[in-house]
Each structure stands twice: as structure tokens, then as C-alpha cells.
Amino acid sequence: MTSVPSGNAAPVTTPTGQGVGPLLRAWREQRRVSQLELALRADSSARHISFIETGRSRPSEEMVLRLAEHLEVPVRERNALLLAAGYAPRYPETPLDDPALDALRAGMEQLIQGYEPYPALVVDAMYNVQAANRGVLMLLDDIPEHLLQPPLNAMRLTLHPDGLAPRIRNLREWRGHLLAQMQRQIALHRSEPLRELYEEVAAYPVPADAPGAEPDEPVPYFALPMQIEHEGRVLSFISSISTFNTPMDVTVAELAIETLLPADSATVKYLQSLLP
């Protein structure tokens, strides 16, 4: 595995001057859950939920965490809810290079190394690359130096006109997939830095003759592949993303391991011959 320097994780975007009530109401509305439904999930009452949201009742620390869990609030934002309610943050944010995360880093290294010769990488909430294997580095041949400066960002590398974009044979479809993925993450995390990154990469020009499938062209895959040229060959990959279950640390909660599964036998044979 090759470790890659990265920037800081996206900070919490918390409206100033708001108590925990309006913040919980915003999360509830975003999740499209009624007060009654949330009360039933959290073993409470709609009246109590209403009092919390209007500020008439101060929830206990346990209640804040229980509501956050049932609303699927990300770990970083759970800390923000606790602070807004007057409690200390519950979840630490340990730097990835901290000795306390040695076992985690070793496990991720073993995982993505074991995936070779196929590409695999680790990204944080801002899509900054924390680590990558040889399969990923192979795809970055001839990428300009200005895109390889830390923090190395997967979205910029993929969609920038000087990055991988000109090599992606189905650029329009793959670009649409990535932008939709970012929009879902923005809705989940409500991160202003992530929104700024989205606006940046969405504004990258797409050539009028950029390759893309014809509207009626059948797709012979079980999922949308990324079809990318490498040294005169077209490689096809299906992306799979894994996250950690029940994380108790902000840093760990925001890590994702992306693996690129070969979508055809030609890609398998080529990569096995290139990276034995």
C-alpha cells in the first residue's frame, strides 16, 4: 500500500445560535420522519419530541444520542448535537496516523494490498485519498503533477480535464454517477466544504465530443462500469464502497474503502499480466 498525504476532514457545519431542538427537527425533517414515528422508534412520546424541538424541554444526553441514532445522524454531527444540548462530545476524532489506530491502518493495508492487482483505495469524507494500492497508481500514469499534490483528491483526479476524465470512455455516465454520489453525501452530512468541492468538480468543462453511451445502447453489465483507457486498452471496472460498521470515532466513521472490481475477463487478464 502507498500512503498518501491528505488534508483535514470536513468540519461540522452547525448553524450558530441554535439549540439542539431546531437541529434535531432539521434532521427529522430531512429524514422525512414524523414526530410520532420518531417517538415510537425512540420509546418516547410525540409530545416530548415536540417539546424538545421547540426548546420547552431539554433532552438528556442519552435521549440526544438515541434520537440521533434513530435519525441516522452521522457521528460527527452527533457530537454537534451534544454540544448544542450542553453536553460534551461523545465521539473522539483520532488522527489517522495516531498509534491508537495502528491496528486499523494495518488492517486496511492488508485489505487493499490483498486486492492487487485490482485497484483499491481509502478515502475520507472529502474524498481525499488516504492510501492506495499499486492498481490505483497504475491508472495515474502521466497525470500532471499539479493534480498529484497533497491532498490527493479522488474526485479531482477523476473529473478534471487534465486528470483521468479524457481517458474515461463513458465519461458522461460516470461523471453523472459521481456527482449524484456527492449530492447524496452532501444531503447526509450537510458539509459546506463538501458542497464547495462538488461545485468545483461539477464546473469542470466536459468536451462536446466526450464519449458516452448512446441512449438506446444496451448496457451488458450488472452495474454501471467505469471504462477507462490504459496504454491502448480499454479496462472496465465496477466500483464497490465499504465503510466501518458502528464506528465510535469520527475519523473512522468517515473512512471508505473503494475497490474496483474487473467487469470483464479482458480486464482481469491484463491486470494480472501487468501486476503479477
Side-chain angles (χ1 to χ4, degrees):
M1 179 175 110
T2 300
S3 297
V4 183
S6 67
N8 295 329
V12 179
T13 304
T14 305
T16 58
Q18 288 196 11
V20 68
L23 294 177
L24 283 169
R25 181 175 64 245
W27 281 109
R28 180 181 60 77
E29 292 174 347
Q30 183 172 316
R31 297 294 186 259
R32 299 182 180 180
V33 176
S34 68
Q35 289 182 342
L36 177 58
E37 183 178 356
L38 179 59
L40 292 173
R41 292 181 186 179
D43 194 24
S44 183
S45 68
R47 177 184 176 88
H48 187 44
I49 299 299
S50 176
F51 277 22
I52 290 174
E53 292 185 353
T54 58
R56 296 179 64 183
S57 177
R58 179 173 181 257
S60 66
E61 182 178 10
E62 178 185 358
M63 177 59 75
V64 172
L65 291 172
R66 192 188 313 165
L67 295 177
E69 178 181 358
H70 288 291
L71 291 173
E72 298 180 351
V73 176
V75 172
R76 180 182 292 274
E77 281 70 27
R78 294 186 192 192
N79 278 343
L81 289 173
L82 288 169
L83 285 170
Y87 303 110
R90 172 69 62 91
Y91 304 96
E93 184 174 0
T94 310
L96 193 55
D97 58 358
D98 191 285
L101 297 184
D102 283 349
L104 173 72
R105 291 196 310 276
M108 292 191 299
E109 288 178 9
Q110 184 177 12
L111 180 61
I112 67 175
Q113 282 181 345
Y115 199 69
E116 292 178 352
Y118 312 133
L121 67 159
V122 181
V123 298
D124 62 18
M126 283 291 293
Y127 295 96
N128 291 324
V129 179
Q130 300 291 336
N133 69 5
R134 293 187 300 159
V136 170
L137 299 182
M138 174 203 69
L139 296 177
L140 301 183
D141 288 348
D142 301 325
I143 295 295
E145 187 64 27
H146 71 90
L147 287 177
L148 299 178
Q149 296 297 318
L152 193 66
N153 188 273
M155 288 297 178
R156 290 192 183 98
L157 280 171
T158 304
L159 298 178
H160 196 283
D162 295 334
L164 297 177
R167 307 180 195 175
I168 299 177
R169 293 287 294 270
N170 57 339
L171 176 60
R172 294 185 183 277
E173 290 83 2
W174 193 249
R175 176 180 181 273
H177 157 69
L178 292 183
L179 293 180
Q181 175 180 307
M182 293 186 73
Q183 287 175 330
R184 290 192 296 271
Q185 290 300 107
I186 290 169
L188 177 64
H189 293 283
R190 297 193 288 187
S191 165
E192 188 58 34
L194 187 58
R195 180 176 297 279
E196 291 173 359
L197 176 64
Y198 171 85
E199 292 174 352
E200 175 191 333
V201 299
Y204 290 159
V206 179
D209 59 349
E214 295 297 327
D216 297 327
E217 181 180 343
V219 179
Y221 298 101
F222 55 85
L224 178 69
M226 178 181 70
Q227 299 172 323
I228 186 169
E229 293 184 10
H230 184 265
E231 297 185 356
R233 297 174 181 264
V234 177
L235 308 179
S236 294
F237 297 101
I238 301 294
S239 173
S240 174
I241 297 177
S242 302
T243 56
F244 291 92
N245 193 27
T246 59
M248 300 298 292
D249 186 281
V250 174
T251 299
V252 177
E254 295 180 344
L255 292 176
I257 302 172
E258 181 171 9
T259 53
L260 297 179
L261 174 71
D264 55 40
S265 59
T267 300
V268 172
K269 292 178 182 178
Y270 177 70
L271 291 177
Q272 289 179 345
S273 67
L274 195 63
L275 296 174

